[in-house]
């Protein structure tokens, strides 16, 4: 299964794996979980053969000297911190976010995150790529290695 996020972001900023994307993926895993339960009743275990999750970040900049794209994904799927809980609503939100992360991790035991740079440096070219020669060789290499 591929999940792609496109956004230029640094490691220490808010992050390109946004909460909305985690919610969307968790909703998908809940649907899969229901299907898996029905299949288990029929003698099939689809979760055992569930595909690996590849989260692909495009136009993304990471501090890769000490961190990897995989570190970034793992960090995004960690339990949300309870440091900033000020009221009951905050606690409910944190519990909900952690439940979503747990659901994703339970469905996708194998998770990989890959970060690609920009396909082209020039913004005008990026908006209208017409042929392969306009794509940066590093981007082509990343796609080939995928």
């Amino acid at each position: 299964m591929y999940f792609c996020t496109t956004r230029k972001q640094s490691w220490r900023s808010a992050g390109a794996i946004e909460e909305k994307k985690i919610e969307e993926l968790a909703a998908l895993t809940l649907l899969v979980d229901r299907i898996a339960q029905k299949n288990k009743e029929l003698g099939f275990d689809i979760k055992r053969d569930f595909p690996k999750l590849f989260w692909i970040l495009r136009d993304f900049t990471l501090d890769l000297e000490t961190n990897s794209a995989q570190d970034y994904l793992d960090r995004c799927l960690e339990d949300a911190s309870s440091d900033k809980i000020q009221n009951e609503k905050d606690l409910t939100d944190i519990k909900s976010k952690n439940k979503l992360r747990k659901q994703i991790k339970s469905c996708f035991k194998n998770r990989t995150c890959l970060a690609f740079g920009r396909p082209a440096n020039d913004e005008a070219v990026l908006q209208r790529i017409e042929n392969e020669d306009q794509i940066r060789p590093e981007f082509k290499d990343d796609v080939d290695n995928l």
Side-chain angles (χ1 to χ4, degrees):
M1 170 166 286
Y2 295 95
F3 210 74
C4 185
T5 304
T6 308
R7 184 171 172 194
K8 189 173 182 182
Q9 202 65 262
S10 73
W11 171 263
R12 292 178 180 81
S13 62
I17 298 180
E18 300 166 339
E19 195 63 33
K20 183 174 177 7
K21 294 296 181 187
I22 290 175
E23 290 170 4
E24 290 171 2
L25 182 57
L28 177 65
T29 63
L30 287 171
L31 178 63
V32 168
D33 202 37
R34 288 185 185 144
I35 294 169
Q37 287 173 8
K38 290 289 184 187
N39 277 275
K40 197 166 193 167
E41 292 170 10
L42 300 172
F44 302 106
D45 184 7
I46 66 169
K47 276 193 165 183
R48 182 189 67 221
D49 300 318
F50 210 64
K52 184 175 190 170
L53 171 68
F54 282 95
W55 199 308
I56 301 169
L57 304 166
R58 200 195 74 170
D59 294 358
F60 195 80
T61 305
L62 290 175
D63 171 11
L64 292 177
E65 292 175 17
T66 57
N67 301 296
S68 68
Q70 187 64 45
D71 294 333
Y72 179 76
L73 175 61
D74 293 342
R75 186 173 163 194
C76 288
L77 292 177
E78 287 176 357
D79 283 351
S81 173
S82 57
D83 296 356
K84 299 176 182 174
I85 294 177
Q86 296 180 0
N87 55 45
E88 201 61 35
K89 183 185 180 310
D90 292 346
L91 179 61
T92 302
D93 288 347
I94 297 264
K95 285 182 178 180
S96 175
K97 288 177 182 182
N98 289 342
K99 184 177 179 183
L100 297 177
R101 284 161 173 73
K102 183 178 179 182
Q103 180 66 32
I104 291 169
K105 290 187 284 189
S106 75
C107 263
F108 295 104
K109 303 285 185 207
N110 297 309
R111 301 176 296 274
T112 298
C113 185
L114 302 172
F116 291 9
R118 292 177 63 112
N121 289 327
D122 184 330
E123 189 66 33
V125 171
L126 185 62
Q127 291 178 8
R128 294 180 184 252
I129 293 177
E130 295 178 9
N131 63 57
E132 197 172 309
D133 295 335
Q134 294 174 299
I135 300 173
R136 292 177 47 232
E138 299 85 2
F139 188 84
K140 288 180 193 177
D141 289 344
D142 285 344
V143 171
D144 289 342
N145 290 331
L146 174 63

